Amino acid sequence: MQTLKHRPAAGRNRKRKRPKISRKRLLLAGAAVVLLVMAGRSLLPAMGIKAPGIGGSSEETPSTVVTKAPPAPTIDLNGVMVQGGGSPMITLNPGLVRLGGGVTVQGSGFDQGSMVDVYLGPSTAPGQKAPPSGAPGSKPHQVATAKAGKWGVFTANFTMPNKMTVPVQEVTAQARGSDKVAKADASVAQGAGQATLSAIVGKPGDTINLTVKGFAPGEQLNVYWGRINGDPNLTLKADEGGSVGKTPIRVGVTAVGTTSLVVVGKTSGAAASAPFQVLRLYPSIKLAPYAVKATQKITFSGSGFAPGERVLVRLNAAGGQPVMAISTDDAGVFKGAGLVMPFQLKGAQSLVFTGEQSRAAVSTGFTILPFTPQARTNAYGGLPGTVVNFYATQFAPNEAVHVTVRTAKGATPQLVAAFRVDAKGTARAVGQYTIPGNTEDTVVFQLHGQRSDATATVNFKVDKSGGPVDIPSAKPYVVPKDLEN
């Protein structure tokens, strides 16, 4: 540097006088060159100006290059001038939203990979009144951020503030570093609906009068008991003044205690509620008869349940699979239902009746009576060789009866006959057995019902023959297939 600094000075003295360039000026000139290069690499491309040889790079991504989008073409469609496509656009779901409710923003037409900020603020559409300064929702604020995908599409979600004085809010989607922007209006569901009940205490099924006002003219009104979603308990229609006069309604099924009747306008989103005290249901059951045998039917009637609900019937349990379901009428009553008792039940039993919606429950008991059959032979006694057949009553209807015999004390009973009783549990002169020649004293017959598990016993007196009796031994008895049960 010392050599370069002194050489120009020597030349100036010898030839001609040149202006002196200070070191400070050299430094300023160098800084200007650096700034020029940086401007070529950043500011000029950002303005859409490409400078050859300055800052050019083939590795630049769309996110670092901001270009001004050409105006979208407009066309005449059915007499309306509309954009021909290519412009950013957003849609809101739902467009009519409650305070504190969620909103989904779906956008298209943005640059691939660009970051899009979503803002919420008062609508600037013509006719919209400006909100007071400082009021909730009076200034735009960022509520979400999303990244545009492969086709310039994005989805973002945000929650509408719980406090809002402006009925229409403008949602704006702005791409960072770009002039691409889209807007849409979200209507905030507001209203001053009022609901009045003619009574504030009652049980499900009671009839009371409802009066409603303050809703949109002609809109559908959904009425709920103790909730605000799902299928409404009742639907009404507002008149031209947004009101409903005294209308009889039934108290719906809801939890016992303090609750509310809620009315929601389907179009306006306005809501109104009225407090109500729900009383407990006290259902009752009548059985007839209270004692039955297997195969017999027990009938029951019920009252005090909720109108139009199903009553679930269970045996000896409050939960689990019901054995049947019965629907009540508009007064919460059912009649003439019944069940046929199976053979497996013995002794005391309980039926539990539970309202499917109201959960009101009541139980009642009954008894399964045993079968007590009676039987006799065609003779009370006789000599060896006597042919015996049987008479029976009070067995289960149409059941098979198996006959065993014991010819001596301690002997093993042997199956000797089988028959089937009729629908009244009766049989006459059925079966056949020959008293063996070596039998003395008493033969014991047991007649056992195969379904009822009931047994009748008959004693047959064998007279002394006075000597040996030559009677062939009987072959072992085999029960026919149709008499097994």
Side-chain angles (χ1 to χ4, degrees), residues 243-313:
S243 302
V244 174
K246 290 184 178 180
T247 302
I249 65 170
R250 287 185 179 273
V251 177
V253 177
T254 184
V256 173
T258 303
T259 186
S260 295
L261 177 138
V262 181
V263 183
V264 180
K266 187 174 181 180
T267 303
S268 66
S273 65
F276 193 84
Q277 184 75 18
V278 179
L279 302 178
R280 183 181 304 176
L281 290 170
Y282 291 94
S284 61
I285 297 292
K286 292 183 179 180
L287 289 181
Y290 281 94
V292 294
K293 293 181 179 180
T295 73
Q296 293 180 340
K297 185 177 182 179
I298 186 169
T299 60
F300 34 81
S301 300
S303 61
F305 291 93
E309 74 170 336
R310 294 200 315 165
V311 177
L312 307 180
V313 184

Side-chain angles (χ1 to χ4, degrees), residues 2-78:
Q2 293 296 330
T3 304
L4 292 175
K5 182 176 180 181
H6 289 287
R7 284 180 180 177
R12 185 172 61 247
N13 294 333
R14 295 176 183 179
K15 297 182 180 180
R16 65 177 180 272
K17 188 176 181 179
R18 296 181 179 178
K20 185 177 180 180
I21 302 176
S22 67
R23 182 177 181 181
K24 183 176 181 181
R25 290 183 176 180
L26 288 174
L27 292 174
L28 291 174
V33 173
V34 172
L35 291 175
L36 179 60
V37 173
M38 291 177 64
R41 293 182 177 178
S42 59
L43 297 178
L44 295 180
M47 298 174 61
I49 303 174
K50 295 183 179 180
I54 300 179
S57 174
S58 61
E59 297 181 356
E60 290 182 349
T61 62
S63 60
T64 60
V65 178
V66 180
T67 58
K68 187 174 183 179
T74 56
I75 59 175
D76 186 339
L77 180 61
N78 199 27

Side-chain angles (χ1 to χ4, degrees), residues 384-385 435-438 465 467-473:
I435 303 298
N438 59 351
S465 62
V469 179
D470 187 12
I471 297 175
S473 299

